[in-house]
Amino acid sequence: MSSGEAQTRRPAELALTLGVFVAVVAALLPLLRVVSSGGWVPGAIALAALVLTAGYLARWFRLPALAASILEAAVWIVVVTLVFLRDTALLGVIPTPETLHAAPQLLRGAFDQIQQGAAPLAATPELSFLIVGALGLLAIMIDHVVITARMPLLAAVGLIAISLVPSIAVPGALNVVAFVLLAGAILFLLRVEVRAREAPKDARVRTRAAAHGVTATAVGIGAIAVVVALVAAPLLPAPQRAGGGLGTGASIDPSLQLGDDLRRPSDTEVLRVRTNSGTAPYLRVATLSSFDGVVWQPDRAPTLPLSTAQSLGPIAVDPGVTVNPYTTDIQVENLVTSWLPVSFPAVEVTGLDGDWAAMPANRTVVGRSGTSQGQSYQVQTQVPRPTLEQIRARSADGRGPNVSPESLALPAELPAIIAQTARDVTAGATTDYDRLHELQTWFRSSAFRYSLSAPVQDGFDGSGADAVASFLQVRSGYCVHFASAFALMARTLGMPARIVVGYLPGSSTGQNVDGQAVYVVQSGQLHAWPEVYFDGIGWVPFEPTNSLGVPTNFVSDSITGGTPGEAARQTTAPTSSPAPTSSLDPTANDPTANDPAVAGGAGGGGLVPVGTVLLGILLALAVPAVVRAVLRRRLLLAARHGDAAAAWRAVQDEAIDLGIPVPASESPRMFAARLAAERGVDAAAMGALVRAIERASYAPGHRRDPAHGDETADAAASVCAHLRASTGAAARLLATLAPRSLVVRPGSVYAGSVPPPHAR
């Protein structure tokens, strides 16, 4: 490179380096949505600045591109070691075997925090190590792609994708500062690169059309970024934030239109529970009896101030039915709702701050002012424990005092499959309890499958009558479908039924307070289950959701030796699974939720997910080939319109894909002669291309020559075909699946070199 060209390139490289720095920082800012601010922010910015400065200085002294990348990597190692691993390093900066052992441990800690935590994550040393180190590596890669490989468009795509990850993980409002910085930096990089390529007045072709094409691409990228940021992001679920006190918390929609709750981006600790019952209880927030055929609505029964003695009061059961009293202490960590989670059946709730009311009909508690966030309260319950014989002897005919007409009502146009299936499944049962038990057993059998994806795929993602009918045919869904189907089928059998929205029993923390185990309840454990009213006993919950919780069962008198108090219903805590998981966050239970084959709403069973995975892999592998085919077609089309540079670039890109060197040191005639000698390409076609590129390079009036367009395009296509024919099958396959020309520019250091003529 001449001194004049160096003087031209150095300002451009400085501008590109500054543009890369701004773009990398802009891609970093969205992380503040998912990670609490801390030392990682200035640390990441400083590391990016240091590695980019090292790369710029290496290029200033005209070091090879590989040397610049090595120098940047060395700076990255020294800084990361000094900041995070200096206690294991020699002189605090030179990594040792102990350093290599400690780094993976930090990464494991960071990954565990990401998988188990909730946004915003605490800025721990492990997470800071991951973010700072990753951003430094990103800066090195973007610097290489933009300045060395001269491909700012590819860098722009990568930066936009990275900046969108936090928005996908925890959607929220647009970060205007980050968006403006990133968009401006990308447009700046594209423009500087165009001007840098237009500046040298040598034999290379620099057409104004190429500049216009890059500008159009820049505008397109900016438009896509605007659409994604302003349109797509608001359509994603609202973010959930961890924390307690008066901060923002998770919320509950008790109407069974629970799209936001079903698609929570993160799992948040919402409650801490301890009880003297021996097992963690289910916690309810609302009951739903009114059903119009489309939507279940929360009950709006009369309420009484919680402070009055008549608000809840003791339960009433038939003589001989054992009632066990329990005490449950609940601490709200991160839940903002006017519906208070309580164990059932509550007879007294104490310790609340604010104005709260009780709904005696369903023994739930609602807030008149304030929310549940930060509350700490105690719930007294009286749980009926009938024997199997006692519950079989009771009727569920809807004549109880706490039975509302809504709990028996059915919509006018109920799909016939619901009632018919209920009759078929319960045909052999002789008591109301046995009929319900048969339904529960049928839903929990292998005939059904728990899945979030199947309802979306088959178009019945809801709780309406039509959705239930589809669910009974597909036999795959989540808790809303199981609970809705069970409740409607029970009503077709003449039994009062309703749906409860609440939380599954929490998972043990291993801690004990006053001799009681402490359980933690996550936002992902939101759940729905049905209840049926039995005369003389009250509302009895059932658990039809397949693979979740523990089904309702009662112990026979013959097993307990005639001691009713020993007969215990076993649905208040899981015994078959130590840690119950979410039902309204189906990704926690759905065995297909983490399967790439069904992610995003596709579902299936058996071999379908495997086939979908394979199809996805094949499609991903085909992306580079498709992109390359589109670019090749565009180049040949431009050549047919008289663009000799496009025809020449088509041949160069084909050579790069096939592993043929395309060095900057060769003139077009030398390159053509080598291809003819080594690859046997058609000399006439190659000559036509050489004449076209020389006319465009040295004759300003012939930069576009439509008169020779067809000839030039045909010559380029012929040369490309000859090059492929002269290459082995393995090399052709590799060139198709992984075309190097997408990331390697002709004349760059990675485009290869050839020995001088006397050395060949």
Side-chain angles (χ1 to χ4, degrees), residues 56-226:
Y56 175 73
L57 291 176
R59 287 184 289 271
W60 176 273
F61 290 104
R62 313 319 320 166
L63 296 180
L66 181 60
S69 296
I70 292 175
L71 180 60
E72 289 176 330
V75 171
W76 181 88
I77 292 173
V78 169
V79 174
V80 170
T81 303
L82 176 64
V83 175
F84 296 100
L85 299 163
R86 57 180 173 273
D87 293 338
T88 67
L90 181 64
L91 302 178
V93 295
I94 302 175
T96 64
E98 187 179 355
T99 306
L100 300 179
H101 178 71
Q105 293 180 336
L106 288 175
L107 290 176
R108 279 194 295 270
F111 292 141
D112 289 343
Q113 185 180 358
I114 293 171
Q115 293 172 358
Q116 301 171 10
L121 299 170
T124 62
E126 294 83 1
L127 192 58
S128 298
F129 170 75
L130 174 63
I131 296 174
V132 172
L135 193 85
L137 292 176
L138 175 66
I140 294 174
M141 290 185 289
I142 297 299
D143 181 66
H144 170 78
V145 171
V146 171
I147 301 179
T148 303
R150 320 299 295 180
M151 302 187 73
L153 288 176
L154 179 62
V157 173
L159 287 167
I160 291 173
I162 291 171
S163 68
L164 288 177
V165 170
S167 297
I168 295 172
V170 183
L174 171 68
N175 187 327
V176 178
V177 174
F179 173 73
V180 171
L181 280 178
L182 182 59
I186 290 173
L187 294 174
F188 176 76
L189 288 173
L190 294 170
R191 188 55 186 162
V192 170
E193 169 61 12
V194 170
R195 289 182 175 177
R197 289 189 288 110
E198 288 179 336
K201 302 299 182 180
D202 54 14
R204 293 174 297 174
V205 177
R206 305 297 179 216
T207 65
R208 188 169 300 276
H212 290 166
V214 175
T215 303
T217 306
V219 173
I221 289 178
I224 293 172
V226 170

Side-chain angles (χ1 to χ4, degrees), residues 252-305:
I252 298 174
D253 177 2
S255 68
L256 287 194
Q257 292 181 313
L258 295 162
D260 288 346
D261 293 319
L262 287 167
R263 298 169 180 87
R264 292 182 185 273
S266 59
D267 210 11
T268 304
E269 178 182 332
V270 292
L271 304 169
R272 289 212 163 217
V273 179
R274 59 186 178 91
T275 179
N276 63 358
S277 68
T279 54
Y282 281 72
L283 300 174
R284 66 180 53 210
V285 296
T287 59
L288 298 84
S289 301
S290 177
F291 180 63
D292 61 5
V294 179
V295 177
W296 292 84
Q297 292 294 344
D299 293 333
R300 301 292 181 181
T303 61
L304 295 172

Side-chain angles (χ1 to χ4, degrees), residues 544-571:
T545 302
N546 195 291
S547 75
L548 188 67
V550 175
T552 294
N553 289 294
F554 294 92
V555 181
S556 173
D557 245 348
S558 61
I559 296 177
T560 63
T563 306
E566 295 299 320
R569 179 181 151 270
Q570 301 177 27
T571 58

Side-chain angles (χ1 to χ4, degrees), residues 442-460:
W442 181 63
F443 279 120
R444 296 181 67 88
S445 71
S446 59
F448 282 84
R449 184 173 65 94
Y450 187 100
S451 173
L452 169 64
S453 55
V456 177
Q457 178 186 12
D458 295 311
F460 62 93

Side-chain angles (χ1 to χ4, degrees), residues 294-545:
V294 179
V295 177
W296 292 84
Q297 292 294 344
D299 293 333
R300 301 292 181 181
T303 61
L304 295 172
L306 192 59
S307 57
T308 63
Q310 298 80 16
S311 62
L312 292 171
I315 66 170
V317 298
D318 284 349
V321 176
T322 299
V323 175
N324 291 341
Y326 298 113
T327 300
T328 302
D329 291 279
I330 302 173
Q331 170 68 47
V332 179
E333 299 289 339
N334 186 36
L335 178 64
V336 179
T337 178
S338 59
W339 308 81
L340 193 72
V342 295
S343 46
F344 181 79
V347 298
E348 185 179 12
V349 180
T350 57
L352 288 168
D353 294 327
D355 188 8
W356 295 85
M359 198 177 295
N362 60 8
R363 295 185 180 270
T364 59
V365 178
V366 295
R368 293 176 171 176
S369 64
T371 69
S372 59
Q373 181 74 343
Q375 297 280 357
S376 181
Y377 53 98
Q378 187 177 83
V379 182
Q380 302 289 339
T381 56
Q382 293 178 353
V383 182
R385 300 296 195 188
T387 64
L388 179 61
E389 290 77 12
Q390 286 174 331
I391 196 168
R392 278 177 169 169
R394 267 67 180 179
S395 172
D397 57 10
R399 294 181 296 179
N402 291 323
V403 177
S404 65
E406 289 83 2
S407 62
L408 283 163
L410 288 167
E413 297 181 0
L414 188 70
I417 188 176
I418 298 176
Q420 184 60 50
T421 304
R423 289 191 296 268
D424 293 343
V425 173
T426 63
T430 57
T431 70
D432 286 344
Y433 170 74
D434 288 333
R435 293 184 184 94
L436 297 169
H437 191 270
E438 288 292 331
L439 286 177
Q440 177 180 258
T441 302
W442 181 63
F443 279 120
R444 296 181 67 88
S445 71
S446 59
F448 282 84
R449 184 173 65 94
Y450 187 100
S451 173
L452 169 64
S453 55
V456 177
Q457 178 186 12
D458 295 311
F460 62 93
D461 191 16
S463 58
D466 291 338
V468 169
S470 298
F471 166 69
L472 292 176
Q473 293 174 326
V474 178
R475 297 189 178 186
S476 185
Y478 46 91
C479 71
V480 168
H481 303 98
F482 285 97
S484 299
F486 187 102
L488 288 178
M489 293 169 78
R491 289 187 182 186
T492 65
L493 298 174
M495 305 182 200
R498 66 189 184 190
I499 295 177
V500 184
V501 173
Y503 287 101
L504 286 163
S507 304
S508 176
T509 63
Q511 302 173 341
N512 281 275
V513 176
D514 297 333
Q516 298 175 355
V518 178
Y519 303 89
V520 61
V521 178
Q522 302 288 337
S523 60
Q525 291 179 285
L526 200 59
H527 185 44
W529 64 93
E531 287 184 332
V532 177
Y533 188 87
F534 282 82
D535 299 337
I537 295 175
W539 289 97
V540 176
F542 288 83
E543 183 58 276
T545 302

